[in-house]
């Protein structure tokens, strides 16, 4: 199956700093990538949809100025958590779909465990 | 809005059969997915239903009834490694065809 690589897998940062998470589709192109957040023992919550070459679409309640998304190419989307606070500590996961394959499953990255201290 | 419900936790015995239910109320529908997720890892795809009926894939089967907004995942011949969270996700069929996830069911398989 298609491979999505997410980096870093773990990151610890100080409160007030920014953290960038990368999501790459390794063997396919993706015009759309999705960013999710998952708190302990809870399910995945869609944060935003990342569209190549255009602005991301954010879900209600997600601050676009805090969670900056850039989808500069067909294989790379980045999520930057700006001015991170301890409450931003969570598991962040990206997913991507094959171009033109609207009805196939999404392929997930390995996830990034963010801890803000 | 999207509302997807699953039991929070289930326990079953090794070798047995377990059924995990999922009910949904969404603004649109374009398929239902089941994913398996081990703690601290990304979800892995198990099954996809878009038409009513049963889809079988080895030890795993998934059923869908669109009129009832209901699906289940059936796991047969349970193994210890099946202990994980099982996530029901619905594609809403609008815009980017977003996937919305249920709360997940944490399954514990005991000897």
């Amino acid at each position: 199956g298609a491979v999505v690589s997410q980096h870093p897998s773990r990151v610890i940062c100080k409160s007030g700093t920014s953290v960038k998470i990368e999501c790459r589709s390794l063997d396919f192109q993706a015009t759309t990538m999705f960013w999710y957040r998952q708190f302990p023992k809870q399910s995945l919550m869609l944060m935003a949809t990342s569209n190549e070459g255009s602005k991301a679409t954010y879900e209600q309640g997600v601050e676009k100025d805090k969670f900056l998304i850039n989808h500069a190419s067909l294989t790379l989307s980045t999520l930057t958590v700006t001015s991170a606070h301890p409450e931003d500590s969570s598991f962040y996961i990206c997913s991507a779909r094959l171009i033109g394959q609207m009805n196939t499953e999404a392929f997930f990255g390995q996830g990034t465990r963010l801890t803000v201290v | 809005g999207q509302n997807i419900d699953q039991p929070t936790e289930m326990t079953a015995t090794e070798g047995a059969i377990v059924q995990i239910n999922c009910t949904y109320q969404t603004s649109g529908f374009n398929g239902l997915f089941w994913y398996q997720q081990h703690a601290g890892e990304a979800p892995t795809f198990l099954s996809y239903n878009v038409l009513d009926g049963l889809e079988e894939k080895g030890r795993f089967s998934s059923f869908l009834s669109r009129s009832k907004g209901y699906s289940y995942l059936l796991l047969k011949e349970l193994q210890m490694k099946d202990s994980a969270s099982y996530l029901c996700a619905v594609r809403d069929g609008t815009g980017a065809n977003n996937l919305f996830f249920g709360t997940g069911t944490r399954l514990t398989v005991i000897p």
Side-chain angles (χ1 to χ4, degrees), chain B residues 35-68:
Chain B
Y35 285 85
Q36 180 191 61
Q37 186 181 27
H38 287 97
E41 299 180 11
T44 55
F45 170 77
L46 291 178
S47 69
Y48 169 64
N49 294 70
V50 67
L51 299 176
D52 290 350
L54 187 69
E55 293 284 340
E56 297 187 77
K57 189 184 290 186
R59 294 192 298 116
F60 296 81
S61 302
S62 57
F63 172 84
L64 174 67
S65 169
R66 289 172 296 172
S67 61
K68 295 181 179 178

Side-chain angles (χ1 to χ4, degrees), chain A residues 32 34 36 38 41-44 46 49 59 91 93 97 102-106 108-111 113, chain B residues 30 33 35 37 40-45 48 87 91 95-104 106:
Chain A
T32 304
F34 303 89
Y36 294 85
Q38 186 177 34
K41 297 186 178 182
Q42 297 185 24
S43 192
L44 284 76
L46 180 66
T49 303
E59 293 300 303
F91 192 52
I93 307 178
R97 266 205 310 269
M102 298 298 284
N103 293 323
T104 61
E105 76 272 23
F108 286 86
Q110 304 95 318
R113 171 82 54 198
Chain B
N30 190 20
F33 297 78
Y35 285 85
Q37 186 181 27
E41 299 180 11
T44 55
F45 170 77
Y48 169 64
L87 309 178
R91 177 160 285 156
N97 274 308
N98 293 334
L99 269 183
F100 292 92
F101 284 81
T103 51
R106 187 182 305 276

Side-chain angles (χ1 to χ4, degrees), chain B residues 53-111:
Chain B
L54 187 69
E55 293 284 340
E56 297 187 77
K57 189 184 290 186
R59 294 192 298 116
F60 296 81
S61 302
S62 57
F63 172 84
L64 174 67
S65 169
R66 289 172 296 172
S67 61
K68 295 181 179 178
Y70 168 69
S71 172
Y72 67 73
L73 179 69
L74 194 71
L75 292 79
K76 303 176 186 176
E77 302 170 14
L78 280 174
Q79 302 175 9
M80 299 299 290
K81 67 178 182 180
D82 296 330
S83 293
S85 288
Y86 291 86
L87 309 178
C88 171
V90 174
R91 177 160 285 156
D92 68 358
T94 61
N97 274 308
N98 293 334
L99 269 183
F100 292 92
F101 284 81
T103 51
T105 300
R106 187 182 305 276
L107 173 67
T108 302
V109 180
I110 59 176

Side-chain angles (χ1 to χ4, degrees), chain A residues 39-110:
Chain A
F39 291 104
K41 297 186 178 182
Q42 297 185 24
S43 192
L44 284 76
M45 296 298 296
L46 180 66
M47 297 176 64
T49 303
S50 171
N51 303 299
E52 187 268 336
S54 64
K55 292 182 178 180
T57 303
Y58 290 81
E59 293 300 303
Q60 191 172 8
V62 178
E63 299 175 57
K64 62 181 181 180
D65 294 331
K66 180 170 182 63
F67 298 99
L68 301 179
I69 290 174
N70 183 278
H71 194 153
S73 76
L74 289 173
T75 60
L76 174 64
S77 175
T78 60
L79 168 68
T80 301
V81 183
T82 63
S83 187
H85 292 288
E87 57 265 31
D88 298 325
S89 298
S90 187
F91 192 52
Y92 292 86
I93 307 178
C94 70
S95 74
R97 266 205 310 269
L98 295 168
I99 277 184
Q101 302 292 323
M102 298 298 284
N103 293 323
T104 61
E105 76 272 23
F107 298 95
F108 286 86
Q110 304 95 318

Side-chain angles (χ1 to χ4, degrees), chain A residues 9-25:
Chain A
S9 57
R10 292 180 181 272
V11 59
I12 300 173
C13 71
K14 291 184 177 181
S15 186
T17 61
S18 296
V19 174
K20 180 185 283 187
I21 302 170
E22 292 187 348
C23 180
R24 293 181 184 273
S25 55

